[in-house]
Amino acid sequence: MHDWQHSSPNRIAATATLVALLTGMALVSVAQPPVEEEEANTKGSVKKRIVIEDDGFTLPKSGAIPAGNPPDSKLDELTRAADEARTAPLKALFLSYVVPFDKMIEASGSTRVKPISYRREEWPKDQQAVSVVPLDSNNKPRDARVLQVSSIRGTEHFESMILAAVEELLKQPANAPVSSDNYDASEKLLSAALRFHDYARERQIRKGKSWDELADPLKARLREIRLEVFRSAIAKDDTARARDAANRLMAAYPKDASIAREVATARINEATRLLGSASHADHLRARALLDDFESRFPGSSDAVRQARTQLREMATAAFTRAGEKKGVGDLITARDELARAGALDPSIEGLREMQRELRTGYPILYVGVRQLPVNMSPATARLDSEKQAVELMFEGLLEEVPQANGAVTYRPGAAVELPSIMPSGREFQLRAFERDSTGRSGLDSQDVAGTIRLLGNRPDIWPAYPLPWIGGLPAPTSINAIRIPFALGHPDPRALFTFKILPTRWMSENGKDLSDVGFAEKPFGTGPFRLYATPPKTGGALREWVFVDNPAYSRWRDRTSLPRLREIRLVDVSKLDSVEAFRTGKLHLLPDISTSDIEKYSNTSAPGSRFEVVTATTNRRVHILAMNLRRSYLQNKSLRQGISMAIDREEILREVFRAGKPEFHRSMTGPYPPNSWCEPKVLGGSPPLMNRDLAVARLKTYLEGTAPKTDFELAYPSGDPKAEAVCQRIKSQIEKLTKDGPQGRSLTINLKELPTRELFVKVQDERPGGYDLAYVPFDYPDDWHPYGLGAALDPQAAGRGGRNWFGFLTADTKPDPDDLRLGQMLTELRGYRDVAGQLAPRAAEASKLFNECVPFVPLWQLDRHMVVSNNLKVFVNDTTNPVNPRVLNPTTLFQGVGWWRVE
């Protein structure tokens, strides 16, 4: 068992109790990530405050109508039903039950009263009288009346009276349309009665244990009636009524397997009938029905396979006709037939090539990258281009939806919908489907469980970051449903479920683990795109990676016709005139240009300009000076503090990055991104890290030690002139402060340029590590920065490839009491969910202690500018209006890419 599976029993029990309590409430108030709202301050910068959003809303058990009168005083749906009734008897029937009531039966007759609290069976044996509120003929309450128990011959309750009325109604002769009207009326009456009952039980209007004896027959009869309506429509070949009845059944009983199977089977029969039509529109409807069936029931039946084969044959025939028409020059007909083939089965071999050749329905997005990807699995991606490829090909259970103010919300990814809340966890319904024609597996609950199991084998890597909150392996409840337990509470549990799902069944069958090189070079997942072609190793002026749309992605109703793009190309821009490429439509998006390059892209008045520069509002990247604490000399805290205090961050930002634009880029005063919700400057003030006088004192203390090492290596990425300029200035600033050091000793910083990938390997993957100091970016995994910092400094994550690049707190780095206290504080932060009251102030305290311990040197957060073509329309969900591309996170970039368009 791995460390991520161990937690304090008391903490787990407390968390379980809290989650169970929240689950029982109508409104579940679990925090989302902080929404950082901008407020103007006197200095013109951005001040941010925390706003916690609601986690979700739980409807009453009957799925009732939330607006209008309380259902114990009036059932509005029955008023509407009376207005819409086609016969006088039905109208009268609805009106007689608009106001819920019970009957008290005495020797002198019966009295209609407001619903009573306890059934007679639960009255105390020695009770002498009961108080009731009679209703007049207009359903208005009268003065309360006391009845002697001895005079009461019996009671009738609203639920039972509704059930009896329904049974009487359904005994009437079955002559259409009266028969169908009666069934509809019965469904409305029973649904209304259940809504009243649930409301009364939740608000203690109905008390005691025996009321469920009245509700259960109502539920059973309502289910029977809904099924009878559905079956009747199927028998009469009434397609519209059958579809409506099926939708209502699935909405009312989403977890009833027998109903789902019956509805799905009927849909397959309808699909088979539609395939026998000569209409292309009917064939498309048949495909939609098949997609819907397979999304609910991943294990295909023979009928489904036969229908799919028939669809493929139709698509192949259309594709063949397209080729024939293309061969004789009839391009209009060729395009029509090609579109027909793609709509029926987009996976036909050769379809994509002909679409590209005929330029029909084939939008291509060109994205510039500084370095082409190599390792593109979630566990091995290091470069930005690799992380972007992961975003194209893999899904989380949930996905982030970026907002204009830099905050995020969430939408379903590999899950069909947002999870349902269960005590101490969440339950997900999955977009499960079978393996494709190439033999690659699809997705089911075992893949989700397998992904968490594989991450549990490597809890030290960044993809496993959510594991401390997840309480062991999840429990698949069916092929397309899974329950994931919690070990700890989290301010926003949804943030935990964005980890990418791997095809673990296929990986297991083929002997592959998380770090498998072959899978990393040619990965596949359930995302909107799949890898299609890679550039040749040598030769060719333009090198690009090609990703094409994943046909399996559009199988679900909410993803019809997605992705809208057919192809995405990651283009190597190192040898490309990118300005000209934008002007000629050969580039649509280029992330991360320098501030000094803004001007050459911003002259929109120039002829042919069709692009703009935006600055990302979602920015989780900071730059740091990584320190290899496994080096004995860097275990000296005076040296680490001296180096951090010697660096004039503002001077370097001004001279290297700002290009005369002081509004961009911010120096760090601690480990968290500047202006983030947990940054101490926001929460109470933190001084700049540079302090030349203290730096001299700390470095002098180090140099006065026994045989101190005086020369260090500072590595930086090649091909980045700004990185070289940064390191030259860091070298100069540190060396100047020690040129007159004690006993003639001074520090020397030797610069070493390394290819970016080699630098990342040395810093992130090699152990004990082949570097002293390194200028590298650091990406926080989400907006919960204190948790990310704790993950980066976790001593259990200091192995090869682990998150703790620095070796902080490992035994061989000789941590002192302050180091140990910092580690303990960061671990304890995981146990807090109260952001304003507990998490934020403790995060600020940890930041101050971090600056004393200096596990790494925080430097700055650089604003990230992107060049975007006006032809690219960015959508992050299924809304009709595009968003400003500045909401995108340049590291992963392709948020909501399924909805993007190129015009």
Side-chain angles (χ1 to χ4, degrees), residues 322-591:
E324 292 170 350
K325 294 299 183 181
K326 171 177 166 286
V328 298
D330 185 356
L331 299 185
I332 294 177
T333 305
R335 290 189 180 102
D336 289 343
E337 292 294 341
L338 193 61
R340 185 188 300 268
L344 295 176
D345 189 343
S347 65
I348 294 175
E349 186 175 354
L351 177 76
R352 195 172 313 282
E353 288 75 10
M354 191 181 295
Q355 285 177 327
R356 188 184 298 118
E357 185 178 352
L358 294 179
R359 298 183 179 276
T360 175
Y362 201 84
I364 301 175
L365 175 69
Y366 295 91
V367 179
V369 295
R370 308 293 179 186
Q371 295 171 298
L372 290 172
V374 176
N375 296 321
M376 296 172 289
S377 75
T380 60
R382 297 287 183 269
L383 304 175
D384 280 2
S385 61
E386 294 172 345
K387 295 175 182 178
Q388 291 158 9
V390 166
E391 194 70 17
L392 289 174
M393 293 186 288
F394 294 90
E395 293 181 284
L397 289 169
L398 302 180
E399 295 179 347
E400 290 187 350
V401 181
Q403 305 296 300
N405 61 1
V408 296
T409 57
Y410 296 88
R411 64 161 170 262
V416 177
E417 56 192 5
L418 292 175
S420 56
I421 300 171
M422 50 174 280
S424 299
R426 293 292 187 271
E427 183 169 10
F428 291 87
Q429 299 296 314
L430 305 176
R431 301 180 190 272
F433 62 97
E434 289 190 311
R435 65 180 67 229
D436 64 18
S437 58
T438 67
R440 292 175 172 178
S441 65
L443 172 74
D444 70 19
S445 56
Q446 293 298 332
D447 289 304
V448 179
T451 298
I452 294 178
R453 176 180 54 77
L454 286 181
L455 293 176
N457 293 337
R458 286 299 310 272
D460 57 324
I461 63 176
W462 274 112
Y465 159 72
L467 292 184
W469 289 272
I470 295 177
L473 289 176
T477 56
S478 70
I479 194 171
N480 62 341
I482 192 165
R483 292 178 179 175
I484 300 182
F486 290 156
L488 295 172
H490 190 284
D492 186 356
R494 294 167 300 180
L496 302 174
F497 301 120
T498 58
F499 63 89
K500 302 302 185 185
I501 306 302
L502 297 168
T504 55
R505 288 173 296 149
W506 180 89
M507 294 174 73
S508 176
E509 291 168 3
N510 291 273
K512 299 183 181 297
D513 60 17
L514 284 174
S515 59
D516 185 82
V517 174
F519 180 70
E521 292 178 346
K522 294 183 178 180
F524 65 93
T526 63
F529 289 86
R530 54 193 175 93
L531 181 62
Y532 180 71
T534 61
K537 299 290 185 183
T538 58
L542 184 66
R543 303 184 68 227
E544 56 187 15
W545 286 63
V546 181
F547 298 83
V548 298
D549 60 303
N550 182 357
Y553 189 78
S554 62
R555 288 187 175 184
W556 285 265
R557 185 170 298 174
D558 62 326
R559 289 178 172 179
T560 301
S561 302
L562 296 182
R564 291 168 175 168
L565 299 171
R566 288 293 170 261
E567 192 171 291
I568 293 179
R569 298 192 175 206
L570 301 186
V571 182
D572 182 0
V573 296
S574 61
K575 298 179 181 179
L576 187 68
D577 182 344
S578 52
V579 174
E580 183 61 22
F582 272 103
R583 286 177 176 159
T584 57
K586 298 297 179 63
L587 271 184
H588 297 107
L589 182 58
L590 179 60

Side-chain angles (χ1 to χ4, degrees), residues 546-800:
V546 181
F547 298 83
V548 298
D549 60 303
N550 182 357
Y553 189 78
S554 62
R555 288 187 175 184
W556 285 265
R557 185 170 298 174
D558 62 326
R559 289 178 172 179
T560 301
S561 302
L562 296 182
R564 291 168 175 168
L565 299 171
R566 288 293 170 261
E567 192 171 291
I568 293 179
R569 298 192 175 206
L570 301 186
V571 182
D572 182 0
V573 296
S574 61
K575 298 179 181 179
L576 187 68
D577 182 344
S578 52
V579 174
E580 183 61 22
F582 272 103
R583 286 177 176 159
T584 57
K586 298 297 179 63
L587 271 184
H588 297 107
L589 182 58
L590 179 60
D592 263 357
I593 66 165
S594 66
T595 303
S596 59
D597 281 343
I598 290 178
E599 293 301 326
K600 75 176 184 179
Y601 291 102
S602 297
N603 187 12
T604 56
S605 62
S609 294
R610 298 188 298 174
F611 45 89
E612 63 175 338
V613 177
V614 300
T615 301
T617 55
T618 302
N619 188 2
R620 294 170 178 158
R621 173 167 293 178
V622 297
H623 279 77
I624 66 172
L625 203 62
M627 291 181 159
N628 186 359
L629 304 184
R630 299 172 184 85
R631 303 283 200 240
S632 58
Y633 36 90
L634 287 171
Q635 294 166 14
N636 186 293
K637 192 165 290 186
S638 294
L639 174 61
R640 303 204 305 265
Q641 292 173 344
I643 290 174
S644 180
M645 294 173 180
I647 300 173
D648 189 338
R649 292 155 178 81
E650 282 297 313
E651 178 182 285
I652 295 175
L653 287 174
R654 183 174 60 254
E655 294 180 355
V656 178
F657 293 108
R658 287 187 176 137
K661 299 180 185 297
E663 67 270 23
F664 291 128
H665 315 308
R666 292 153 300 281
S667 58
M668 298 175 70
T669 60
Y672 309 129
N675 292 332
S676 62
W677 64 273
C678 52
E679 209 264 337
K681 185 167 60 177
V682 173
L683 297 170
S686 180
L689 293 177
M690 190 200 74
N691 187 320
R692 290 271 170 81
D693 292 338
L694 284 177
V696 170
R698 297 292 193 274
L699 295 175
K700 180 181 178 181
T701 298
Y702 169 73
L703 291 171
E704 288 175 340
T706 303
K709 182 175 176 60
T710 58
D711 61 303
F712 307 104
E713 189 175 86
L714 171 54
Y716 64 91
S718 62
D720 184 351
K722 295 192 182 302
E724 181 178 4
V726 163
C727 292
Q728 289 284 5
R729 284 163 173 78
I730 290 176
K731 167 184 169 69
S732 174
Q733 291 174 359
I734 294 173
E735 290 180 349
K736 281 182 181 179
L737 295 186
T738 64
K739 64 180 180 179
D740 299 320
Q743 304 176 39
R745 296 169 177 168
S746 60
L747 294 182
T748 300
I749 306 295
N750 300 310
L751 302 185
K752 184 173 184 179
E753 183 181 42
L754 291 172
T756 303
R757 178 174 295 284
E758 184 178 340
L759 175 63
F760 285 177
V761 167
K762 283 187 175 296
V763 173
Q764 299 183 24
D765 295 321
E766 289 186 2
R767 298 293 183 267
Y771 76 102
D772 291 333
L773 307 172
Y775 175 64
V776 291
F778 174 78
D779 286 288
Y780 277 95
D782 55 30
D783 291 331
W784 299 100
H785 311 301
Y787 298 149
L789 180 64
L793 300 181
D794 182 355
Q796 301 301 317
R800 180 180 291 272

